[in-house]
């Protein structure tokens, strides 16, 4: 049964009297999350793991095929949010991986999550990695652009404006905590600054061949 967790974000008025409350849906537990997490926990740790961590966009990547390195791990879970990644970070860090590539946050936006809540979770993630596996190289990857014309109605809360807002906050946080920020937009945007139609299945998710371009870009940046 899906466990619902919620946090309360309280925003005071300029005068400090009136308060506006927004309920934050921080839930992440579902049957697929539990199955994937249980599978991950039962796998053996290896030295010098390279971990791709995120939601369905990460999960659908054939990372071993496109990276061509030993111990490249897919730690994507479809539907995952920043709260879910934080909850399973212990498993990722248990091997003291050499590198972690994170892409998370679009499902938070889909729920209408305030950008500041998402940003705070990025900070929590960074602090945990730096405290528990300080030799791990952490890379926060930008949220991908969207192709608005292709998006189904279920993604109506999403916009490239919100994506850019999250990415801008992520970039500042990375500078503050001396973490590498990886802007993926040069790989995926078209002339209208939207996700290239030829690389996407629905305006958000990627075709398999797009992961080759993604991996090649990381190699070009000398991150792999």
């Amino acid at each position: 049964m899906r466990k619902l967790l919620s946090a309360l974000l309280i925003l005071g008025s300029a005068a400090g009297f009136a308060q506006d409350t927004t309920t934050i849906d921080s839930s992440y537990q579902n049957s697929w999350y539990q199955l994937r997490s249980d599978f991950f926990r039962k796998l053996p740790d290896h030295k010098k793991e390279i971990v791709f961590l995120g939601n369905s966009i990460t999960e659908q990547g054939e990372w071993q095929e496109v990276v061509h390195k030993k111990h490249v791990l897919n730690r994507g879970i479809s539907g995952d949010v920043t709260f879910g990644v934080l909850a399973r970070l212990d498993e990722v860090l248990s091997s003291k991986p050499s590198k972690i590539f994170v892409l998370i946050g679009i499902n938070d936006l889909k729920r209408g999550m305030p950008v500041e809540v998402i940003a705070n979770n990025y900070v929590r993630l960074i602090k945990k990695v730096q405290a528990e596996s300080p030799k791990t190289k952490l890379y926060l990857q930008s949220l991908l652009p969207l192709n608005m014309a292709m998006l189904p109605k279920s993604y109506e809360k999403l916009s490239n404006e919100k994506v850019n807002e999250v990415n801008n906050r992520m970039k500042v946080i990375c500078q503050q905590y001396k973490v590498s920020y990886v802007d993926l937009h040069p790989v995926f945007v078209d002339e209208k600054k939207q996700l290239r139609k030829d690389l996407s299945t629905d305006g958000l998710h990627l075709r398999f061949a797009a992961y080759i371009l993604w991996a090649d870009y990381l190699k070009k940046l000398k991150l792999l």
Side-chain angles (χ1 to χ4, degrees), residues 174-208:
C174 286
Q175 291 172 343
Q176 181 180 356
Y177 289 92
K178 295 179 173 53
V179 169
S180 296
Y181 170 76
V182 184
D183 182 8
L184 296 176
H185 283 224
V187 183
F188 295 108
V189 292
D190 62 16
E191 66 281 356
K192 296 180 180 178
K193 303 298 183 184
Q194 298 204 39
L195 180 59
R196 285 170 50 183
K197 185 175 182 180
D198 63 311
L199 298 180
S200 181
T201 57
D202 61 0
L204 173 67
H205 296 94
L206 301 175
R207 296 181 181 274
F208 291 124

PDB file of all heavy atoms in Angstrom, residues 174-208:
ATOM      1  N   CYS A 174      25.258  23.702  -6.888  1.00  0.00           N
ATOM      2  CA  CYS A 174      26.493  22.998  -7.240  1.00  0.00           C
ATOM      3  C   CYS A 174      27.721  23.887  -7.043  1.00  0.00           C
ATOM      4  O   CYS A 174      28.759  23.434  -6.554  1.00  0.00           O
ATOM      5  CB  CYS A 174      26.426  22.502  -8.681  1.00  0.00           C
ATOM      6  SG  CYS A 174      25.335  21.079  -8.906  1.00  0.00           S
ATOM      7  N   GLN A 175      27.594  25.142  -7.410  1.00  0.00           N
ATOM      8  CA  GLN A 175      28.699  26.079  -7.197  1.00  0.00           C
ATOM      9  C   GLN A 175      28.974  26.258  -5.711  1.00  0.00           C
ATOM     10  O   GLN A 175      30.126  26.297  -5.278  1.00  0.00           O
ATOM     11  CB  GLN A 175      28.366  27.420  -7.850  1.00  0.00           C
ATOM     12  CG  GLN A 175      28.357  27.379  -9.367  1.00  0.00           C
ATOM     13  CD  GLN A 175      27.829  28.657  -9.994  1.00  0.00           C
ATOM     14  OE1 GLN A 175      27.180  29.478  -9.329  1.00  0.00           O
ATOM     15  NE2 GLN A 175      28.095  28.845 -11.273  1.00  0.00           N
ATOM     16  N   GLN A 176      27.900  26.346  -4.941  1.00  0.00           N
ATOM     17  CA  GLN A 176      28.035  26.563  -3.494  1.00  0.00           C
ATOM     18  C   GLN A 176      28.720  25.388  -2.810  1.00  0.00           C
ATOM     19  O   GLN A 176      29.551  25.580  -1.907  1.00  0.00           O
ATOM     20  CB  GLN A 176      26.651  26.792  -2.884  1.00  0.00           C
ATOM     21  CG  GLN A 176      26.667  27.056  -1.388  1.00  0.00           C
ATOM     22  CD  GLN A 176      25.260  27.276  -0.829  1.00  0.00           C
ATOM     23  OE1 GLN A 176      24.279  27.304  -1.575  1.00  0.00           O
ATOM     24  NE2 GLN A 176      25.162  27.421   0.472  1.00  0.00           N
ATOM     25  N   TYR A 177      28.384  24.168  -3.225  1.00  0.00           N
ATOM     26  CA  TYR A 177      28.904  22.977  -2.554  1.00  0.00           C
ATOM     27  C   TYR A 177      30.030  22.298  -3.336  1.00  0.00           C
ATOM     28  O   TYR A 177      30.415  21.179  -3.007  1.00  0.00           O
ATOM     29  CB  TYR A 177      27.759  21.983  -2.290  1.00  0.00           C
ATOM     30  CG  TYR A 177      26.821  22.469  -1.205  1.00  0.00           C
ATOM     31  CD1 TYR A 177      25.693  23.213  -1.518  1.00  0.00           C
ATOM     32  CD2 TYR A 177      27.093  22.219   0.137  1.00  0.00           C
ATOM     33  CE1 TYR A 177      24.843  23.685  -0.533  1.00  0.00           C
ATOM     34  CE2 TYR A 177      26.251  22.667   1.144  1.00  0.00           C
ATOM     35  CZ  TYR A 177      25.122  23.413   0.792  1.00  0.00           C
ATOM     36  OH  TYR A 177      24.287  23.880   1.777  1.00  0.00           O
ATOM     37  N   LYS A 178      30.521  22.993  -4.369  1.00  0.00           N
ATOM     38  CA  LYS A 178      31.653  22.486  -5.159  1.00  0.00           C
ATOM     39  C   LYS A 178      31.375  21.101  -5.743  1.00  0.00           C
ATOM     40  O   LYS A 178      32.189  20.164  -5.640  1.00  0.00           O
ATOM     41  CB  LYS A 178      32.927  22.479  -4.313  1.00  0.00           C
ATOM     42  CG  LYS A 178      33.378  23.875  -3.897  1.00  0.00           C
ATOM     43  CD  LYS A 178      34.628  23.832  -3.041  1.00  0.00           C
ATOM     44  CE  LYS A 178      35.179  25.236  -2.764  1.00  0.00           C
ATOM     45  NZ  LYS A 178      34.177  26.163  -2.209  1.00  0.00           N
ATOM     46  N   VAL A 179      30.209  20.995  -6.364  1.00  0.00           N
ATOM     47  CA  VAL A 179      29.785  19.773  -7.038  1.00  0.00           C
ATOM     48  C   VAL A 179      29.662  20.084  -8.531  1.00  0.00           C
ATOM     49  O   VAL A 179      29.290  21.199  -8.913  1.00  0.00           O
ATOM     50  CB  VAL A 179      28.431  19.274  -6.476  1.00  0.00           C
ATOM     51  CG1 VAL A 179      27.844  18.170  -7.333  1.00  0.00           C
ATOM     52  CG2 VAL A 179      28.606  18.789  -5.042  1.00  0.00           C
ATOM     53  N   SER A 180      29.943  19.110  -9.366  1.00  0.00           N
ATOM     54  CA  SER A 180      29.870  19.322 -10.813  1.00  0.00           C
ATOM     55  C   SER A 180      28.422  19.362 -11.299  1.00  0.00           C
ATOM     56  O   SER A 180      27.642  18.440 -11.034  1.00  0.00           O
ATOM     57  CB  SER A 180      30.622  18.208 -11.554  1.00  0.00           C
ATOM     58  OG  SER A 180      31.987  18.245 -11.246  1.00  0.00           O
ATOM     59  N   TYR A 181      28.082  20.445 -11.992  1.00  0.00           N
ATOM     60  CA  TYR A 181      26.780  20.582 -12.636  1.00  0.00           C
ATOM     61  C   TYR A 181      26.951  20.245 -14.113  1.00  0.00           C
ATOM     62  O   TYR A 181      27.841  20.797 -14.779  1.00  0.00           O
ATOM     63  CB  TYR A 181      26.257  22.007 -12.479  1.00  0.00           C
ATOM     64  CG  TYR A 181      25.027  22.329 -13.296  1.00  0.00           C
ATOM     65  CD1 TYR A 181      23.773  21.875 -12.903  1.00  0.00           C
ATOM     66  CD2 TYR A 181      25.122  23.094 -14.462  1.00  0.00           C
ATOM     67  CE1 TYR A 181      22.647  22.176 -13.651  1.00  0.00           C
ATOM     68  CE2 TYR A 181      23.997  23.405 -15.206  1.00  0.00           C
ATOM     69  CZ  TYR A 181      22.762  22.936 -14.803  1.00  0.00           C
ATOM     70  OH  TYR A 181      21.648  23.232 -15.539  1.00  0.00           O
ATOM     71  N   VAL A 182      26.129  19.350 -14.641  1.00  0.00           N
ATOM     72  CA  VAL A 182      26.235  18.926 -16.033  1.00  0.00           C
ATOM     73  C   VAL A 182      24.991  19.391 -16.786  1.00  0.00           C
ATOM     74  O   VAL A 182      23.887  18.886 -16.554  1.00  0.00           O
ATOM     75  CB  VAL A 182      26.370  17.392 -16.146  1.00  0.00           C
ATOM     76  CG1 VAL A 182      26.571  16.989 -17.614  1.00  0.00           C
ATOM     77  CG2 VAL A 182      27.522  16.882 -15.291  1.00  0.00           C
ATOM     78  N   ASP A 183      25.181  20.344 -17.664  1.00  0.00           N
ATOM     79  CA  ASP A 183      24.083  20.862 -18.481  1.00  0.00           C
ATOM     80  C   ASP A 183      23.892  19.944 -19.684  1.00  0.00           C
ATOM     81  O   ASP A 183      24.741  19.895 -20.577  1.00  0.00           O
ATOM     82  CB  ASP A 183      24.396  22.286 -18.936  1.00  0.00           C
ATOM     83  CG  ASP A 183      23.258  22.903 -19.744  1.00  0.00           C
ATOM     84  OD1 ASP A 183      22.170  22.284 -19.832  1.00  0.00           O
ATOM     85  OD2 ASP A 183      23.458  24.002 -20.297  1.00  0.00           O
ATOM     86  N   LEU A 184      22.782  19.207 -19.712  1.00  0.00           N
ATOM     87  CA  LEU A 184      22.519  18.264 -20.792  1.00  0.00           C
ATOM     88  C   LEU A 184      21.801  18.905 -21.982  1.00  0.00           C
ATOM     89  O   LEU A 184      21.639  18.253 -23.017  1.00  0.00           O
ATOM     90  CB  LEU A 184      21.672  17.092 -20.262  1.00  0.00           C
ATOM     91  CG  LEU A 184      22.327  16.206 -19.201  1.00  0.00           C
ATOM     92  CD1 LEU A 184      21.334  15.166 -18.718  1.00  0.00           C
ATOM     93  CD2 LEU A 184      23.586  15.540 -19.729  1.00  0.00           C
ATOM     94  N   HIS A 185      21.385  20.148 -21.849  1.00  0.00           N
ATOM     95  CA  HIS A 185      20.578  20.767 -22.892  1.00  0.00           C
ATOM     96  C   HIS A 185      21.281  20.853 -24.248  1.00  0.00           C
ATOM     97  O   HIS A 185      20.619  20.700 -25.284  1.00  0.00           O
ATOM     98  CB  HIS A 185      20.082  22.146 -22.436  1.00  0.00           C
ATOM     99  CG  HIS A 185      18.933  22.052 -21.485  1.00  0.00           C
ATOM    100  ND1 HIS A 185      17.805  22.841 -21.555  1.00  0.00           N
ATOM    101  CD2 HIS A 185      18.717  21.233 -20.421  1.00  0.00           C
ATOM    102  CE1 HIS A 185      16.971  22.528 -20.607  1.00  0.00           C
ATOM    103  NE2 HIS A 185      17.502  21.554 -19.895  1.00  0.00           N
ATOM    104  N   PRO A 186      22.589  21.086 -24.296  1.00  0.00           N
ATOM    105  CA  PRO A 186      23.233  21.124 -25.613  1.00  0.00           C
ATOM    106  C   PRO A 186      23.030  19.839 -26.429  1.00  0.00           C
ATOM    107  O   PRO A 186      23.055  19.883 -27.661  1.00  0.00           O
ATOM    108  CB  PRO A 186      24.714  21.331 -25.277  1.00  0.00           C
ATOM    109  CG  PRO A 186      24.698  22.066 -23.974  1.00  0.00           C
ATOM    110  CD  PRO A 186      23.546  21.469 -23.222  1.00  0.00           C
ATOM    111  N   VAL A 187      22.816  18.724 -25.754  1.00  0.00           N
ATOM    112  CA  VAL A 187      22.620  17.453 -26.455  1.00  0.00           C
ATOM    113  C   VAL A 187      21.196  17.323 -26.992  1.00  0.00           C
ATOM    114  O   VAL A 187      20.981  16.778 -28.073  1.00  0.00           O
ATOM    115  CB  VAL A 187      22.903  16.258 -25.512  1.00  0.00           C
ATOM    116  CG1 VAL A 187      22.767  14.935 -26.255  1.00  0.00           C
ATOM    117  CG2 VAL A 187      24.254  16.396 -24.868  1.00  0.00           C
ATOM    118  N   PHE A 188      20.233  17.854 -26.247  1.00  0.00           N
ATOM    119  CA  PHE A 188      18.840  17.493 -26.490  1.00  0.00           C
ATOM    120  C   PHE A 188      17.934  18.600 -27.022  1.00  0.00           C
ATOM    121  O   PHE A 188      16.815  18.325 -27.449  1.00  0.00           O
ATOM    122  CB  PHE A 188      18.226  16.944 -25.191  1.00  0.00           C
ATOM    123  CG  PHE A 188      18.852  15.660 -24.732  1.00  0.00           C
ATOM    124  CD1 PHE A 188      19.673  15.629 -23.616  1.00  0.00           C
ATOM    125  CD2 PHE A 188      18.643  14.481 -25.424  1.00  0.00           C
ATOM    126  CE1 PHE A 188      20.266  14.442 -23.187  1.00  0.00           C
ATOM    127  CE2 PHE A 188      19.228  13.291 -25.017  1.00  0.00           C
ATOM    128  CZ  PHE A 188      20.036  13.265 -23.896  1.00  0.00           C
ATOM    129  N   VAL A 189      18.354  19.861 -26.991  1.00  0.00           N
ATOM    130  CA  VAL A 189      17.423  20.924 -27.394  1.00  0.00           C
ATOM    131  C   VAL A 189      17.401  21.109 -28.903  1.00  0.00           C
ATOM    132  O   VAL A 189      18.389  20.887 -29.604  1.00  0.00           O
ATOM    133  CB  VAL A 189      17.771  22.277 -26.729  1.00  0.00           C
ATOM    134  CG1 VAL A 189      17.539  22.230 -25.243  1.00  0.00           C
ATOM    135  CG2 VAL A 189      19.189  22.709 -27.067  1.00  0.00           C
ATOM    136  N   ASP A 190      16.233  21.570 -29.407  1.00  0.00           N
ATOM    137  CA  ASP A 190      16.104  21.953 -30.809  1.00  0.00           C
ATOM    138  C   ASP A 190      16.251  23.464 -30.931  1.00  0.00           C
ATOM    139  O   ASP A 190      16.609  24.152 -29.964  1.00  0.00           O
ATOM    140  CB  ASP A 190      14.773  21.460 -31.398  1.00  0.00           C
ATOM    141  CG  ASP A 190      13.548  22.060 -30.696  1.00  0.00           C
ATOM    142  OD1 ASP A 190      13.699  23.077 -29.960  1.00  0.00           O
ATOM    143  OD2 ASP A 190      12.441  21.532 -30.878  1.00  0.00           O
ATOM    144  N   GLU A 191      15.960  23.995 -32.090  1.00  0.00           N
ATOM    145  CA  GLU A 191      16.128  25.432 -32.324  1.00  0.00           C
ATOM    146  C   GLU A 191      15.150  26.275 -31.511  1.00  0.00           C
ATOM    147  O   GLU A 191      15.368  27.473 -31.320  1.00  0.00           O
ATOM    148  CB  GLU A 191      15.962  25.750 -33.823  1.00  0.00           C
ATOM    149  CG  GLU A 191      14.570  25.524 -34.396  1.00  0.00           C
ATOM    150  CD  GLU A 191      14.267  24.054 -34.699  1.00  0.00           C
ATOM    151  OE1 GLU A 191      15.182  23.208 -34.524  1.00  0.00           O
ATOM    152  OE2 GLU A 191      13.124  23.763 -35.101  1.00  0.00           O
ATOM    153  N   LYS A 192      14.087  25.655 -30.982  1.00  0.00           N
ATOM    154  CA  LYS A 192      13.122  26.367 -30.154  1.00  0.00           C
ATOM    155  C   LYS A 192      13.381  26.154 -28.662  1.00  0.00           C
ATOM    156  O   LYS A 192      12.552  26.501 -27.827  1.00  0.00           O
ATOM    157  CB  LYS A 192      11.696  25.912 -30.492  1.00  0.00           C
ATOM    158  CG  LYS A 192      11.264  26.237 -31.911  1.00  0.00           C
ATOM    159  CD  LYS A 192       9.839  25.763 -32.164  1.00  0.00           C
ATOM    160  CE  LYS A 192       9.394  26.083 -33.588  1.00  0.00           C
ATOM    161  NZ  LYS A 192       8.016  25.586 -33.859  1.00  0.00           N
ATOM    162  N   LYS A 193      14.533  25.584 -28.340  1.00  0.00           N
ATOM    163  CA  LYS A 193      14.914  25.306 -26.950  1.00  0.00           C
ATOM    164  C   LYS A 193      14.006  24.274 -26.296  1.00  0.00           C
ATOM    165  O   LYS A 193      13.807  24.277 -25.083  1.00  0.00           O
ATOM    166  CB  LYS A 193      14.928  26.597 -26.107  1.00  0.00           C
ATOM    167  CG  LYS A 193      15.852  27.681 -26.643  1.00  0.00           C
ATOM    168  CD  LYS A 193      17.297  27.242 -26.658  1.00  0.00           C
ATOM    169  CE  LYS A 193      18.225  28.349 -27.135  1.00  0.00           C
ATOM    170  NZ  LYS A 193      19.642  27.893 -27.235  1.00  0.00           N
ATOM    171  N   GLN A 194      13.445  23.389 -27.107  1.00  0.00           N
ATOM    172  CA  GLN A 194      12.630  22.294 -26.604  1.00  0.00           C
ATOM    173  C   GLN A 194      13.326  20.970 -26.902  1.00  0.00           C
ATOM    174  O   GLN A 194      14.291  20.903 -27.667  1.00  0.00           O
ATOM    175  CB  GLN A 194      11.243  22.319 -27.242  1.00  0.00           C
ATOM    176  CG  GLN A 194      10.457  23.585 -26.925  1.00  0.00           C
ATOM    177  CD  GLN A 194       8.965  23.380 -27.043  1.00  0.00           C
ATOM    178  OE1 GLN A 194       8.423  22.346 -26.678  1.00  0.00           O
ATOM    179  NE2 GLN A 194       8.283  24.395 -27.546  1.00  0.00           N
ATOM    180  N   LEU A 195      12.833  19.901 -26.290  1.00  0.00           N
ATOM    181  CA  LEU A 195      13.397  18.577 -26.505  1.00  0.00           C
ATOM    182  C   LEU A 195      13.212  18.170 -27.969  1.00  0.00           C
ATOM    183  O   LEU A 195      12.107  18.276 -28.514  1.00  0.00           O
ATOM    184  CB  LEU A 195      12.710  17.562 -25.591  1.00  0.00           C
ATOM    185  CG  LEU A 195      13.179  16.110 -25.673  1.00  0.00           C
ATOM    186  CD1 LEU A 195      14.661  15.985 -25.352  1.00  0.00           C
ATOM    187  CD2 LEU A 195      12.346  15.243 -24.729  1.00  0.00           C
ATOM    188  N   ARG A 196      14.281  17.733 -28.572  1.00  0.00           N
ATOM    189  CA  ARG A 196      14.223  17.321 -29.971  1.00  0.00           C
ATOM    190  C   ARG A 196      13.209  16.207 -30.169  1.00  0.00           C
ATOM    191  O   ARG A 196      13.249  15.183 -29.482  1.00  0.00           O
ATOM    192  CB  ARG A 196      15.598  16.865 -30.440  1.00  0.00           C
ATOM    193  CG  ARG A 196      16.583  17.971 -30.701  1.00  0.00           C
ATOM    194  CD  ARG A 196      17.994  17.459 -30.921  1.00  0.00           C
ATOM    195  NE  ARG A 196      18.060  16.374 -31.919  1.00  0.00           N
ATOM    196  CZ  ARG A 196      19.185  15.730 -32.240  1.00  0.00           C
ATOM    197  NH1 ARG A 196      20.320  16.057 -31.636  1.00  0.00           N
ATOM    198  NH2 ARG A 196      19.168  14.774 -33.144  1.00  0.00           N
ATOM    199  N   LYS A 197      12.318  16.401 -31.105  1.00  0.00           N
ATOM    200  CA  LYS A 197      11.242  15.438 -31.359  1.00  0.00           C
ATOM    201  C   LYS A 197      11.803  14.082 -31.777  1.00  0.00           C
ATOM    202  O   LYS A 197      11.271  13.036 -31.401  1.00  0.00           O
ATOM    203  CB  LYS A 197      10.317  15.983 -32.446  1.00  0.00           C
ATOM    204  CG  LYS A 197       9.084  15.128 -32.711  1.00  0.00           C
ATOM    205  CD  LYS A 197       8.172  15.800 -33.721  1.00  0.00           C
ATOM    206  CE  LYS A 197       6.920  14.957 -33.954  1.00  0.00           C
ATOM    207  NZ  LYS A 197       6.014  15.605 -34.937  1.00  0.00           N
ATOM    208  N   ASP A 198      12.902  14.096 -32.530  1.00  0.00           N
ATOM    209  CA  ASP A 198      13.466  12.842 -33.024  1.00  0.00           C
ATOM    210  C   ASP A 198      14.145  12.023 -31.932  1.00  0.00           C
ATOM    211  O   ASP A 198      14.453  10.844 -32.144  1.00  0.00           O
ATOM    212  CB  ASP A 198      14.464  13.113 -34.153  1.00  0.00           C
ATOM    213  CG  ASP A 198      15.659  13.930 -33.688  1.00  0.00           C
ATOM    214  OD1 ASP A 198      15.446  14.970 -33.033  1.00  0.00           O
ATOM    215  OD2 ASP A 198      16.802  13.526 -33.962  1.00  0.00           O
ATOM    216  N   LEU A 199      14.344  12.617 -30.754  1.00  0.00           N
ATOM    217  CA  LEU A 199      14.996  11.915 -29.654  1.00  0.00           C
ATOM    218  C   LEU A 199      14.020  11.471 -28.564  1.00  0.00           C
ATOM    219  O   LEU A 199      14.423  10.827 -27.601  1.00  0.00           O
ATOM    220  CB  LEU A 199      16.067  12.806 -29.008  1.00  0.00           C
ATOM    221  CG  LEU A 199      17.232  13.228 -29.898  1.00  0.00           C
ATOM    222  CD1 LEU A 199      18.202  14.101 -29.104  1.00  0.00           C
ATOM    223  CD2 LEU A 199      17.957  12.015 -30.486  1.00  0.00           C
ATOM    224  N   SER A 200      12.734  11.803 -28.726  1.00  0.00           N
ATOM    225  CA  SER A 200      11.770  11.577 -27.644  1.00  0.00           C
ATOM    226  C   SER A 200      10.597  10.712 -28.097  1.00  0.00           C
ATOM    227  O   SER A 200      10.236  10.680 -29.271  1.00  0.00           O
ATOM    228  CB  SER A 200      11.238  12.917 -27.128  1.00  0.00           C
ATOM    229  OG  SER A 200      10.328  12.731 -26.067  1.00  0.00           O
ATOM    230  N   THR A 201       9.989  10.034 -27.123  1.00  0.00           N
ATOM    231  CA  THR A 201       8.802   9.220 -27.387  1.00  0.00           C
ATOM    232  C   THR A 201       7.504   9.943 -27.049  1.00  0.00           C
ATOM    233  O   THR A 201       6.463   9.652 -27.626  1.00  0.00           O
ATOM    234  CB  THR A 201       8.849   7.907 -26.577  1.00  0.00           C
ATOM    235  OG1 THR A 201       8.964   8.227 -25.178  1.00  0.00           O
ATOM    236  CG2 THR A 201      10.036   7.054 -26.996  1.00  0.00           C
ATOM    237  N   ASP A 202       7.588  10.893 -26.094  1.00  0.00           N
ATOM    238  CA  ASP A 202       6.359  11.540 -25.628  1.00  0.00           C
ATOM    239  C   ASP A 202       6.564  12.992 -25.184  1.00  0.00           C
ATOM    240  O   ASP A 202       5.701  13.562 -24.520  1.00  0.00           O
ATOM    241  CB  ASP A 202       5.749  10.748 -24.466  1.00  0.00           C
ATOM    242  CG  ASP A 202       6.692  10.654 -23.254  1.00  0.00           C
ATOM    243  OD1 ASP A 202       7.814  11.202 -23.323  1.00  0.00           O
ATOM    244  OD2 ASP A 202       6.298  10.029 -22.248  1.00  0.00           O
ATOM    245  N   GLY A 203       7.693  13.580 -25.541  1.00  0.00           N
ATOM    246  CA  GLY A 203       7.979  14.945 -25.128  1.00  0.00           C
ATOM    247  C   GLY A 203       8.748  15.047 -23.827  1.00  0.00           C
ATOM    248  O   GLY A 203       9.173  16.136 -23.442  1.00  0.00           O
ATOM    249  N   LEU A 204       8.946  13.908 -23.164  1.00  0.00           N
ATOM    250  CA  LEU A 204       9.670  13.858 -21.886  1.00  0.00           C
ATOM    251  C   LEU A 204      10.694  12.732 -21.872  1.00  0.00           C
ATOM    252  O   LEU A 204      11.859  12.946 -21.548  1.00  0.00           O
ATOM    253  CB  LEU A 204       8.681  13.680 -20.732  1.00  0.00           C
ATOM    254  CG  LEU A 204       9.279  13.434 -19.345  1.00  0.00           C
ATOM    255  CD1 LEU A 204      10.027  14.666 -18.860  1.00  0.00           C
ATOM    256  CD2 LEU A 204       8.190  13.064 -18.341  1.00  0.00           C
ATOM    257  N   HIS A 205      10.242  11.525 -22.207  1.00  0.00           N
ATOM    258  CA  HIS A 205      11.126  10.362 -22.207  1.00  0.00           C
ATOM    259  C   HIS A 205      11.884  10.263 -23.529  1.00  0.00           C
ATOM    260  O   HIS A 205      11.491  10.861 -24.532  1.00  0.00           O
ATOM    261  CB  HIS A 205      10.312   9.089 -21.957  1.00  0.00           C
ATOM    262  CG  HIS A 205       9.664   9.062 -20.621  1.00  0.00           C
ATOM    263  ND1 HIS A 205       8.363   9.495 -20.415  1.00  0.00           N
ATOM    264  CD2 HIS A 205      10.135   8.693 -19.406  1.00  0.00           C
ATOM    265  CE1 HIS A 205       8.059   9.369 -19.129  1.00  0.00           C
ATOM    266  NE2 HIS A 205       9.122   8.894 -18.496  1.00  0.00           N
ATOM    267  N   LEU A 206      12.960   9.472 -23.488  1.00  0.00           N
ATOM    268  CA  LEU A 206      13.880   9.426 -24.617  1.00  0.00           C
ATOM    269  C   LEU A 206      13.785   8.125 -25.397  1.00  0.00           C
ATOM    270  O   LEU A 206      13.476   7.065 -24.838  1.00  0.00           O
ATOM    271  CB  LEU A 206      15.324   9.580 -24.108  1.00  0.00           C
ATOM    272  CG  LEU A 206      15.656  10.858 -23.343  1.00  0.00           C
ATOM    273  CD1 LEU A 206      17.084  10.781 -22.813  1.00  0.00           C
ATOM    274  CD2 LEU A 206      15.471  12.093 -24.219  1.00  0.00           C
ATOM    275  N   ARG A 207      14.089   8.216 -26.676  1.00  0.00           N
ATOM    276  CA  ARG A 207      14.300   7.020 -27.479  1.00  0.00           C
ATOM    277  C   ARG A 207      15.641   6.407 -27.077  1.00  0.00           C
ATOM    278  O   ARG A 207      16.541   7.107 -26.601  1.00  0.00           O
ATOM    279  CB  ARG A 207      14.318   7.368 -28.974  1.00  0.00           C
ATOM    280  CG  ARG A 207      12.985   7.913 -29.479  1.00  0.00           C
ATOM    281  CD  ARG A 207      13.040   8.212 -30.967  1.00  0.00           C
ATOM    282  NE  ARG A 207      11.772   8.752 -31.436  1.00  0.00           N
ATOM    283  CZ  ARG A 207      10.732   8.012 -31.821  1.00  0.00           C
ATOM    284  NH1 ARG A 207      10.838   6.691 -31.817  1.00  0.00           N
ATOM    285  NH2 ARG A 207       9.607   8.577 -32.221  1.00  0.00           N
ATOM    286  N   PHE A 208      15.772   5.107 -27.272  1.00  0.00           N
ATOM    287  CA  PHE A 208      16.983   4.417 -26.813  1.00  0.00           C
ATOM    288  C   PHE A 208      18.239   5.005 -27.443  1.00  0.00           C
ATOM    289  O   PHE A 208      19.279   5.118 -26.790  1.00  0.00           O
ATOM    290  CB  PHE A 208      16.885   2.922 -27.109  1.00  0.00           C
ATOM    291  CG  PHE A 208      15.849   2.210 -26.282  1.00  0.00           C
ATOM    292  CD1 PHE A 208      14.835   1.479 -26.878  1.00  0.00           C
ATOM    293  CD2 PHE A 208      15.893   2.273 -24.893  1.00  0.00           C
ATOM    294  CE1 PHE A 208      13.883   0.829 -26.110  1.00  0.00           C
ATOM    295  CE2 PHE A 208      14.945   1.625 -24.113  1.00  0.00           C
ATOM    296  CZ  PHE A 208      13.937   0.902 -24.728  1.00  0.00           C
TER     297      PHE A 208
END
